[in-house]
Amino acid sequence: QVHLVESGGGSVQAGGSLRLSCKADEYFLSTNCMAWFRQAPGKEREGVAAIYTAGTLTYYADSVKGRFAITQDNAENTVYLHMNSLKPEDSAMYYCAASSFRCRPGAWYEEHEYTAWGQGTQVSVSS
C-alpha cells in the first residue's frame, strides 16, 4: 500500500496562498487517482480536488473552483494543492488520498474510492 506524507500547511490571512504537498513512497503508481480532502471541526470530510496522474484530468469541488489547483510531479512522486484567495471557511485539516484506479467523475469526492491516506496537514485562514 502506498504511503503518503503531506506538508505545507500553516496559518495565513484571508486572501493569502498556500501550497500543500503530498509525497508518495516508491510504490507510487503512475496510473491512479490522487486527491485532496479536508475536514473542519464538527464537519464531515469533503473532497476538494483530484487528479488522474497518468493524464491531465482534474476535478474540483465547486467551493474551490477558480481558487485551487491540483498538479503533479511524477518524477518526484508528489501531488500539490495550490490554494489561492484563501477564505476562513477553507480552514481545515487537509488530507491526501490515493487510489489504484482512475478517478471516477461521479465519485472522486467519495472517501471510499481511496485506499491510502496521509496523516493530514492543518490549514488555518484568519479574517
Side-chain angles (χ1 to χ4, degrees):
Q1 180 171 319
V2 65
H3 179 61
L4 306 172
V5 178
E6 304 101 330
S7 62
S11 298
V12 296
Q13 290 189 329
S17 299
L18 283 173
R19 187 186 75 168
L20 306 184
S21 300
C22 173
K23 187 170 180 61
D25 63 15
E26 62 186 288
Y27 298 108
F28 180 80
L29 302 175
S30 62
T31 55
N32 62 14
C33 184
M34 298 287 291
W36 286 95
F37 283 73
R38 67 186 180 185
Q39 187 169 22
K43 295 187 177 182
E44 294 185 352
R45 192 177 300 189
E46 62 173 348
V48 175
I51 186 167
Y52 174 48
T53 57
T56 58
L57 290 175
T58 56
Y59 306 87
Y60 295 96
D62 288 343
S63 59
V64 305
K65 281 181 181 177
R67 300 188 299 121
F68 289 13
I70 186 169
T71 63
Q72 63 188 29
D73 183 338
N74 283 354
E76 295 294 327
N77 288 351
T78 300
V79 171
Y80 300 98
L81 185 66
H82 306 264
M83 305 187 296
N84 300 308
S85 302
L86 282 162
K87 304 175 181 180
E89 51 264 43
D90 294 318
S91 297
M93 184 71 79
Y94 282 71
Y95 299 90
C96 179
S99 168
S100 58
F101 301 100
R102 294 184 61 165
C103 303
R104 295 199 293 161
W108 67 266
Y109 45 84
E110 300 284 0
E111 291 184 63
H112 61 72
E113 293 286 301
Y114 303 90
T115 55
W117 293 82
Q119 82 289 350
T121 185
Q122 181 68 44
V123 171
S124 298
V125 185
S126 59
S127 58

